[in-house]
Amino acid sequence: MTEPIEPGATPPRASGAPVVSLRGVSKHFGGVRALVDVDVDIHEHEVLAVVGDNGAGKSTLAGVLAGAHRPDAGQVLVDGSPVVLDSPAAARALGIATVFQELALVDDLDVVENLFLGHEVGSGVFLDEVEMERRTWQVLDQLAASVPSVREPVRALSGGQRQVIAVARALLGSPRVVVLDEPTASLGVRQTAEVLNLITRLRGRGHAVVLVSHQAGDLQAVADRILVLRLGRVHGTYTGETSYEDLLAAMTGAVLPGSGGR
Amino acid sequence: MNADGTRGGGSTLAAVDPGQARTRVGLRAVLGQWFHGEHGVAPIVVGLAFVWVVLAVIQPDFLSAENLVNLTLQSVPVGVIALGVVLVLLVGQIDLSVGSVSGLAAAIVAVGTVTAGWPFVLAVAVALACGMAVGLVYGILSSRLGLPSFVITLAGLLFLAGLQLRVLGPLGSINLPFESWFVRSIQQGFLDPAVAWALVVLWVLAYLAMQVWGRERRRRADLACAPWSQVVLRTGALAAVLGAAVGYLSTARGVGYSVVLFVVLVIVADVALRRTRWGRSVRAVGSDRRAALLSGVAVHRTVVSSFVACSTLAALGGVLAAGRLGAANQGTGGADTYLTAIAAAVIGGTSLFGGRGSAWSALLGVLVIQSVANGLTLLDLDQATRYMVTGAVLLGAIVVDMLVRRRRQEA
């Protein structure tokens, strides 16, 4: 699974200061407490998996990092300084790129057009197709991804390839943190393996990856740390080697917080 | 190639031969692009050829140079309107009121110049400004209030048809002075053959230069570039089509000024759609509005601008129709004008569901529709037959489009 593509791709254990930290973050939707007093540290060269049952607050956590949800309480720190993530653009500007579950690809546009949609490269009125295509190949090569053609509409691509294109688009702004919301939810076994492979490569390139999912089994393959959420609260952080049974127990609340992991 | 080496590795997605990965090349690729590419013009060109052959067999006069000159002149007003329709269809909306807008514009020009004594340029400016205002209202109602464009423009159709009657006044018909330069240049203005040929040469050279330049840039950026045979083939095809058209039309009266205007508008729209941020936004919004919004496209502005462009082109179409007829009356832009324009856009290959299509579909589609109308008139067939045949052609075009598209998706 972990196929080192560069020297030093094997991740060192997360060390040094976190890139992004959440401190005491809470978010309510009406009477529903989606996140309660959540603390998270996100490090470069690390895959942090966020797991939990449906309604545990995983997607809300991704939304907070993406700038789609503003927390009601608590702080978001980037490199130790408090920041306000009030829009996806603000999050991107601070180096946090999010790939939403729905991917937000336009079927009738080709790969290059999708990658640069809304941020086209051009001189004056006209677009610079050559430059955009060159950069597209560059980012796809970085991901060691191959697509049949970057000039075919993305509707012709498989689910796994579409996921790669969405990730590639997130990488265009050279973000430090990549948040993936349920990237394997709609994929088959082989495509899931491909996406997990891709996540390993992202880590190898030094990105901090936040992987939101409820498919705990898959995550064990790539996660360095696993954060378990239950009913909006952090129910412990586990190492990637934690057994599936222990994770399941934590997700469903069969063990007390902190009795697993560290 | 920049990094085929890194991409060959083990578990890449869908292993593809790296040589093929960058692009398909060669003659088959060109044909493939024409048939299955994003714009897929080939089916409609084949359809147009079929219509022409059938009509020529039944009535040889159809292919006479003089009749084809008529055909081009007849096609211009509806063609300009259809070009606007292409723009709103691409953004995923529809405008049913283009006929009424064109009728109103014709009425404004006639009343302005004849009754009120305005200078011609002022009258046209007012007519186009009215078109713009109508598009602006539609765009704001559609994008801000989220009203379905089908209903808004249906209301607009009725309202503007009424306004057209009001502007024309009790007479209901106003003749434009036959000797005015506008009417003369629309009805009798033809390019000097030397000028026409010069334009053809210019166009072909510009096209060739663009291709060579683009190829050179791609080569320098280490991207796959089309083989020279493809460049030669494309340029040759363009030169052949333009040369044949100008050569044959010049044996009769030649290429009308209004025809030149129409072709220029199509080229401008085509470049805007394919090579500018605006065009990309239009196609993105038409294909998947939510994804476009999440990607940071200014959705509202894109929708409004498409409506404005459509209504303005419709108004221009009305002005040209008035010039061709030498008059504006209650029937200008009425009856089946809007249906013909929408049918032309769809026959030409622009999807009714947004996101897919090209500016050229207005030109090709209107040629098909006007060929049928023109041919059936030559055959002395009545309006009833014309409607029925046009309906059948429209249905056929949609069926062919679906079949081609389905095959492409299966491929």
Side-chain angles (χ1 to χ4, degrees):
Chain A
M1 187 74 253
T2 47
E3 157 196 57
I5 52 164
E6 295 165 24
T10 322
R13 290 308 304 161
S15 57
V19 193
V20 176
S21 306
L22 302 188
R23 288 283 169 268
V25 165
S26 298
K27 177 73 184 171
H28 301 218
F29 293 107
V32 181
R33 310 208 295 173
L35 288 179
V36 185
D37 200 19
V38 168
D39 290 341
V40 185
D41 286 328
I42 299 165
H43 300 269
E44 286 179 338
H45 276 293
E46 185 192 56
V47 178
L48 172 68
V50 179
V51 300
D53 203 354
N54 287 342
K58 305 185 300 287
S59 288
T60 310
L61 182 61
V64 167
L65 288 170
H69 298 314
R70 236 181 125 168
D72 302 322
Q75 271 190 324
V76 181
L77 309 172
V78 172
D79 289 330
S81 343
V83 295
V84 179
L85 304 177
D86 52 1
S87 72
R92 278 203 74 119
L94 288 164
I96 306 172
T98 305
V99 179
F100 292 102
Q101 190 175 355
E102 59 207 278
L103 299 186
L105 296 177
V106 178
D107 279 347
D108 287 317
L109 299 189
D110 66 32
V111 174
V112 178
E113 291 172 332
N114 262 294
L115 247 56
F116 286 90
L117 185 62
H119 319 91
E120 289 87 353
V121 178
S123 48
V125 224
F126 296 108
L127 301 178
D128 189 343
E129 296 290 343
V130 175
E131 176 62 15
M132 286 194 278
E133 194 168 327
R134 196 182 65 75
R135 284 205 223 163
T136 299
W137 282 117
Q138 210 171 35
V139 67
L140 289 180
D141 287 342
Q142 282 172 12
L143 296 174
S146 110
V147 291
S149 161
V150 294
R151 286 300 180 187
E152 288 284 315
V154 297
R155 72 164 68 250
L157 300 182
S158 72
Q161 289 171 333
R162 294 166 66 91
Q163 190 75 46
V164 168
I165 302 305
V167 172
R169 180 169 63 183
L171 291 183
L172 274 180
S174 308
R176 297 165 70 196
V177 181
V178 179
V179 182
L180 300 161
D181 189 7
E182 302 278 7
T184 61
S186 57
L187 300 182
V189 176
R190 179 160 170 269
Q191 293 178 337
T192 299
E194 283 163 355
V195 169
L196 296 180
N197 200 353
L198 174 65
I199 290 169
T200 315
R201 287 202 193 91
L202 289 179
R203 175 180 59 195
R205 296 183 51 76
H207 295 285
V209 181
V210 177
L211 177 56
V212 174
S213 178
H214 62 264
Q215 289 163 327
D218 292 342
L219 302 178
Q220 285 180 293
V222 291
D224 297 307
R225 285 190 301 141
I226 302 177
L227 180 81
V228 177
L229 284 178
R230 201 166 80 82
L231 301 173
R233 291 177 186 274
V234 176
H235 254 239
T237 310
Y238 297 80
T239 63
E241 287 83 40
T242 311
S243 76
Y244 184 64
E245 286 71 25
D246 287 349
L247 281 179
L248 209 57
M251 282 158 69
T252 52
V255 274
L256 291 172
S259 65
R262 39 184 196 169
Chain B
M1 289 304 150
N2 45 353
D4 274 358
T6 59
R7 296 192 311 120
S11 59
T12 51
L13 304 177
V16 203
D17 168 31
Q20 263 186 359
R22 301 266 149 145
T23 183
R24 298 172 301 169
V25 289
L27 177 62
R28 270 181 60 198
V30 177
L31 291 178
Q33 278 168 15
W34 283 4
F35 271 94
H36 310 299
E38 189 63 358
H39 304 309
V41 289
I44 168 71
V45 170
V46 171
L48 182 61
F50 176 73
V51 168
W52 281 20
V53 168
V54 169
L55 288 171
V57 167
I58 307 175
Q59 172 58 275
D61 284 349
F62 175 76
L63 283 187
S64 71
E66 193 48 48
N67 188 54
L68 289 185
V69 168
N70 274 336
L71 178 64
T72 58
L73 294 178
Q74 284 161 357
S75 298
V76 170
V78 179
V80 172
I81 300 173
L83 183 59
V85 172
V86 166
L87 298 179
V88 276
L89 287 182
L90 273 178
V91 87
Q93 307 289 333
I94 197 162
D95 187 346
L96 298 177
S97 74
V98 284
S100 301
V101 172
S102 73
L104 176 63
I108 289 174
V109 168
V111 169
T113 51
V114 177
T115 315
W118 296 345
F120 173 72
V121 174
L122 175 64
V124 170
V126 170
L128 295 185
C130 278
M132 269 182 211
V134 169
L136 200 61
V137 170
Y138 290 161
I140 289 168
L141 288 177
S142 163
S143 67
R144 295 284 164 191
L145 299 184
L147 300 178
S149 55
F150 186 84
V151 179
I152 310 169
T153 57
L154 186 58
L157 183 158
L158 293 168
F159 181 85
L160 296 170
L163 198 57
Q164 177 189 359
L165 297 187
R166 178 61 50 82
V167 169
L168 282 171
L171 283 175
S173 175
I174 295 173
N175 290 329
L176 294 170
F178 189 68
E179 63 283 0
S180 75
W181 67 266
F182 170 61
V183 174
R184 266 190 303 152
S185 57
I186 299 267
Q187 292 185 346
Q188 300 154 35
F190 291 90
L191 283 185
D192 187 81
V195 177
W197 281 111
L199 287 178
V200 167
V201 171
L202 212 64
W203 185 348
V204 171
L205 286 182
Y207 184 72
L208 182 64
M210 292 288 289
Q211 292 221 29
V212 171
W213 184 57
R215 193 181 182 285
E216 177 57 21
R217 286 200 59 212
R218 291 182 68 87
R219 199 182 58 73
R220 267 193 226 148
D222 228 353
L223 295 172
C225 15
W228 285 109
S229 62
Q230 196 173 325
V231 173
V232 171
L233 204 73
R234 281 187 182 160
T235 312
L238 179 72
V241 168
L242 291 178
V246 166
Y248 193 56
L249 291 178
S250 295
T251 61
R253 280 172 291 166
V255 182
Y257 288 158
S258 62
V259 176
V260 177
L261 174 66
F262 177 38
V263 174
V264 167
L265 286 174
V266 170
I267 294 174
V268 169
D270 182 52
V271 171
L273 285 173
R274 289 189 303 114
R275 293 279 173 255
T276 70
R277 256 180 211 100
W278 176 78
R280 188 137 308 168
S281 306
V282 166
R283 288 170 46 224
V285 171
S287 176
D288 190 335
R289 191 179 172 118
R290 187 169 157 68
L293 189 69
L294 287 176
S295 305
V297 173
V299 172
H300 289 318
R301 218 189 308 156
T302 306
V303 171
V304 171
S305 64
S306 293
F307 273 112
V308 169
C310 173
S311 297
T312 310
L313 284 168
L316 182 60
V319 174
L320 293 171
R324 173 154 172 75
L325 196 64
N329 57 38
Q330 295 180 343
T332 310
D336 59 344
T337 305
Y338 73 100
L339 293 174
T340 312
I342 295 170
V346 174
I347 288 175
T350 295
S351 168
L352 272 172
F353 308 105
R356 285 188 302 254
S358 108
W360 291 99
S361 62
L363 188 142
L364 292 168
V366 82
L367 277 182
V368 169
I369 286 202
Q370 292 297 336
S371 297
V372 170
N374 175 301
L376 296 180
T377 310
L378 286 185
L379 293 172
D380 265 341
L381 290 171
D382 57 0
Q383 187 74 14
T385 322
R386 259 180 58 188
Y387 280 161
M388 288 191 277
V389 172
T390 308
V393 170
L394 176 59
L395 187 64
I398 293 178
V399 170
V400 168
D401 186 43
M402 283 299 268
L403 291 178
V404 168
R405 195 156 289 153
R406 196 170 299 163
R407 216 174 53 186
R408 193 171 77 199
Q409 275 177 5
E410 282 165 6

